[in-house]
Amino acid sequence: MAANGEWHCEKRAFSKIESFSQEKENNVTETGCLSIIVLGASGDLAKKKTFPALFNLYQQGFLQLNDVHIFGYSRTKLFDDELKERIRGYLPVGNKVSCNVSEFLQLIKYVSGAYDSREGFQELDKAISEHETSKKSTQGTCRRLFYLALPPSVYPQVCKMIKAYCTNQSDVGGWTRVVVEKPFGKDLASAEELSSQIGELFDEPQIYRIDHYLGKELVQNLLVLRFANRFFLPLWNRDNIANVQIVFREDFGTEGRGGYFDQYGIIRDIIQNHLLQVFCLVAMEKPVSTKPEHIRDEKVKVLQSVNPIVDEDVVLGQYRGYRDDPTVPDDSNTPTFATVILHIHNERWEGVPFILKAGKALNSRKAEIRVQFKDVPGDIFKCSKQGRNELVIRLQPSEAIYMKLTVKQPGLEMAATQSELDLSYRQRYQGIVIPEAYERLILDTIKGDQQHFVRRDELKAAWEIFTPLVQRIESGNLQAIEYEAGSRGPDEADQLLEKAGYVQTHGYIWIPPTL
Ligand code: BG6
């Protein structure tokens, strides 16, 4: 009973979050028989992310036993039970919500087949149709969600097969949606080719390009923070902000994915997508409304206002030991670390450096946005000695928003010191479980909300910014500097930050509160 109570609370909290998200632009049905088809079901992404996310949604009542069925499809020959056993170990049990793993696993049916096999996809369609018939679905209310947990090289082929053999034929009111994951191409030309191939088969409202950073709680908070608070409106511009950093750090290396990573590098793996999406939300203008298309229009505009990246604004690094991976070429110049400064050519941001920094095998793991304000004019308290005001949005771990500011040191003496206003989520929102990014994004797909997905023109604009740079790296014009694994990265990156005007505060450290 208690567990049920908690479950209902969570569901209510979720609906509140959803309530401002969007008005429906079209009248597609959001109820009725739902089939979720995970292609690449025996692979890593499906096991580690997709199925656990579906399980969490199931536990919280967002997938109804009576309406939903989940289909796994991949090349591996497996019986239903073998797939279920593979998945079982990855399902997050043990949190507060009561769970029934076996009940969830009952929802899953497995079909094996090649990604270019007509028979395989016909078999899959048969299984889905049987489910729809068994639920006595009214014609035209069936919903089919295809989740491609697959390498992008097979997307066009698989999309062709889905379109030819598995599309919801009685589509009036029902729908077919396709979820795809990065990498979307390796540069502008390949991304555009992929977009055209998929675009010939499905309309843009059917295509959900996932960037899982858009599903993170604090990333989703950015628009509310910026546009629902009077505090920030007048300050958010070149008159007050000195520089912005968007940082991703991992304290482990490429670990077994060296061969894959070497073809992409940190710019394609993290900066061109995850950090650039965050950048858009920090820098864009206020959208006309919270409708997904209005928001995405503004993201495209700010991307189109970014100046071409110059070599002087880039520092690349590669950690020592990266090339020891037998799948990485001995002469690889692939960066595992990069600092790239973007400049926006518009009225709000002219002259403000946006520093995007990402690295693997560093001395800590965190992702954050750091907005540094300019010095106080006519400073009578020697504030610059204490350090500048900063607004820090800690995306992970220890989600928080804190504001570094100068206050009087408590006591008899009149001394100024640096402190913070701290909204630490774990402390402020005790008992609320922050949803996993994938969980939220799959739910959005079911609801038909594309706000937190990358639109085709956004993707194009993102590649327009980074393609010349990745090409210069690949032709050897820009070299990665070696850094020690477990360090801060190359010293040159810190020097670049200083050159860009970032002033580091010494002697102050934010400590996430412990409960
Ligand atoms: C993925 C990258 O997109 O994001 C990985 O390919 C990276 O290299 C991961 O480790 C980081 O995601 P998160 O959610 O752990 O910050």
Side-chain angles (χ1 to χ4, degrees):
M1 191 56 211
N4 264 343
E6 268 157 9
W7 179 90
H8 284 301
C9 286
E10 284 207 359
K11 191 167 170 174
R12 267 200 304 277
F14 216 118
S15 332
K16 260 196 246 161
I17 295 172
E18 292 299 311
S19 63
F20 67 81
S21 70
Q22 73 158 345
E23 286 167 39
K24 287 277 167 297
E25 297 211 45
N26 41 17
N27 286 327
V28 285
T29 178
E30 304 307 342
T31 55
C33 174
L34 173 65
S35 302
I36 300 176
I37 304 103
V38 181
L39 297 124
S42 61
D44 245 30
L45 176 67
K47 263 187 327 214
K48 292 184 182 159
K49 299 286 183 192
T50 322
F51 286 114
L54 290 171
F55 176 60
N56 277 342
L57 288 176
Y58 175 71
Q59 284 196 107
Q60 293 169 72
F62 291 107
L63 303 180
Q64 298 295 336
L65 195 60
N66 292 336
D67 299 327
V68 177
H69 212 82
I70 299 169
F71 298 86
Y73 184 92
S74 67
R75 284 177 307 195
T76 321
K77 296 241 173 305
L78 289 175
F79 291 111
D80 269 8
D81 286 347
E82 289 172 303
L83 178 76
K84 291 176 190 179
E85 277 325 297
R86 284 188 183 201
I87 296 168
R88 189 185 284 274
Y90 289 92
L91 301 181
V93 286
N95 56 21
K96 285 191 199 155
V97 187
S98 82
C99 58
N100 190 337
V101 173
S102 307
E103 207 178 83
F104 169 75
L105 291 174
Q106 269 174 37
L107 295 177
I108 303 174
K109 183 172 170 44
Y110 183 68
V111 178
S112 87
Y115 295 121
D116 57 356
S117 150
R118 185 171 58 137
E119 292 75 27
F121 280 87
Q122 282 172 334
E123 183 67 23
L124 179 62
D125 183 59
K126 200 168 133 229
I128 305 170
S129 301
E130 276 169 12
H131 158 64
E132 290 168 349
T133 313
S134 77
K135 296 294 166 201
K136 300 195 177 55
S137 305
T138 333
Q139 271 248 322
T141 60
C142 298
R143 302 173 292 162
R144 294 186 176 188
L145 191 167
F146 292 86
Y147 192 111
L148 274 59
L150 291 168
S153 53
V154 298
Y155 286 173
Q157 178 65 60
V158 168
C159 284
K160 258 190 215 157
M161 290 290 160
I162 296 172
K163 177 77 180 181
Y165 303 110
C166 300
T167 308
N168 204 340
Q169 296 303 333
S170 52
D171 238 357
V172 193
W175 49 251
T176 301
R177 292 179 186 148
V178 181
V179 181
V180 286
E181 281 264 352
K182 78 165 184 57
F184 306 116
K186 289 193 78 181
D187 52 22
L188 180 59
S190 54
E192 275 291 282
E193 192 186 342
L194 187 62
S195 292
S196 315
Q197 286 166 331
I198 301 179
E200 276 168 22
L201 300 164
F202 294 104
D203 296 332
E204 189 63 23
Q206 295 181 285
I207 306 167
Y208 288 71
R209 294 179 196 84
I210 280 200
D211 182 311
H212 79 280
Y213 265 59
L214 290 177
K216 292 191 187 273
E217 181 64 41
L218 277 264
V219 175
Q220 299 210 336
N221 195 2
L222 281 170
L223 292 194
V224 183
L225 191 70
R226 279 193 58 197
F227 299 120
N229 290 293
R230 187 67 201 228
F231 275 150
F232 298 119
L233 299 177
L235 296 182
W236 214 255
N237 55 42
R238 62 195 298 268
D239 297 336
N240 301 288
I241 293 176
N243 55 72
V244 179
Q245 281 187 66
I246 303 172
V247 179
F248 166 95
R249 306 166 66 89
E250 264 179 356
D251 54 1
F252 49 90
T254 49
E255 319 216 315
R257 356 172 8 232
Y260 160 82
F261 186 88
D262 201 67
Q263 294 174 33
Y264 289 89
I266 199 79
I267 294 176
R268 291 187 179 102
D269 192 45
I270 303 288
I271 298 182
Q272 181 268 350
N273 32 71
H274 302 328
L275 298 196
L276 198 63
Q277 283 297 323
V278 174
F279 161 85
C280 287
L281 297 170
V282 172
M284 65 186 245
E285 295 299 312
K286 185 191 275 190
V288 175
S289 77
T290 57
K291 282 187 184 166
E293 295 322 321
H294 287 158
I295 293 170
R296 300 196 295 178
D297 288 347
E298 293 305 330
K299 288 167 74 186
V300 173
K301 278 190 219 159
V302 75
L303 288 174
Q304 288 173 337
S305 310
V306 172
N307 285 342
I309 299 166
V310 294
D311 291 354
E312 295 67 40
D313 282 339
V314 180
V315 170
L316 305 175
Q318 187 186 79
Y319 68 85
R320 196 162 292 148
Y322 168 71
R323 284 183 252 170
D324 295 348
D325 182 329
T327 57
V328 173
D330 292 342
D331 59 351
S332 167
N333 182 40
T334 300
T336 58
F337 174 102
T339 297
V340 179
I341 302 182
L342 300 185
H343 299 275
I344 305 172
H345 181 54
N346 70 13
E347 197 176 322
R348 184 183 295 276
W349 294 119
E350 191 79 57
V352 180
F354 280 76
I355 304 154
L356 273 48
K357 183 160 106 178
K360 294 207 172 255
L362 298 178
N363 57 352
S364 64
R365 174 181 169 254
K366 70 174 177 185
E368 69 181 21
I369 304 160
R370 186 172 292 269
V371 180
Q372 185 170 77
F373 288 83
K374 292 187 169 174
D375 290 327
V376 173
D379 176 14
I380 56 169
F381 290 110
K382 302 196 175 60
C383 295
S384 58
K385 209 178 108 219
Q386 318 304 328
R388 287 175 163 179
N389 287 160
E390 285 179 0
L391 173 71
V392 182
I393 299 153
R394 171 69 79 96
L395 306 180
Q396 65 186 39
S398 308
E399 290 88 344
I401 300 169
Y402 62 94
M403 216 168 188
K404 283 166 58 175
L405 71 181
T406 304
V407 295
K408 178 188 166 297
Q409 171 75 43
L412 288 175
E413 273 181 60
M414 190 62 197
T417 187
Q418 181 112 144
S419 189
E420 71 278 313
L421 294 175
D422 188 347
L423 171 59
S424 278
Y425 273 45
R426 222 182 309 155
Q427 195 177 50
R428 178 66 179 80
Y429 300 114
Q430 292 178 27
I432 290 189
V433 180
I434 295 183
E436 282 290 319
Y438 279 92
E439 207 175 307
R440 207 190 294 260
L441 295 174
I442 293 175
L443 188 62
D444 282 351
T445 311
I446 297 171
K447 292 180 169 198
D449 184 343
Q450 289 193 305
Q451 174 178 333
H452 305 294
F453 294 83
V454 182
R455 206 166 65 184
R456 179 173 172 172
D457 52 351
E458 239 181 287
L459 181 66
K460 180 167 183 263
W463 276 119
E464 275 164 354
I465 298 172
F466 282 99
T467 298
L469 175 62
V470 291
Q471 285 172 346
R472 293 204 298 279
I473 298 170
E474 265 157 15
S475 61
N477 288 351
L478 271 169
Q479 290 294 320
I481 303 161
E482 210 171 44
Y483 63 94
E484 282 305 327
S487 71
R488 278 181 57 80
D491 291 343
E492 287 80 348
D494 284 333
Q495 289 156 17
L496 180 62
L497 243 66
E498 210 178 306
K499 205 178 102 198
Y502 171 67
V503 180
Q504 198 176 349
T505 315
H506 295 283
Y508 165 91
I509 184 160
W510 175 74
I511 302 163
T514 46
L515 288 175

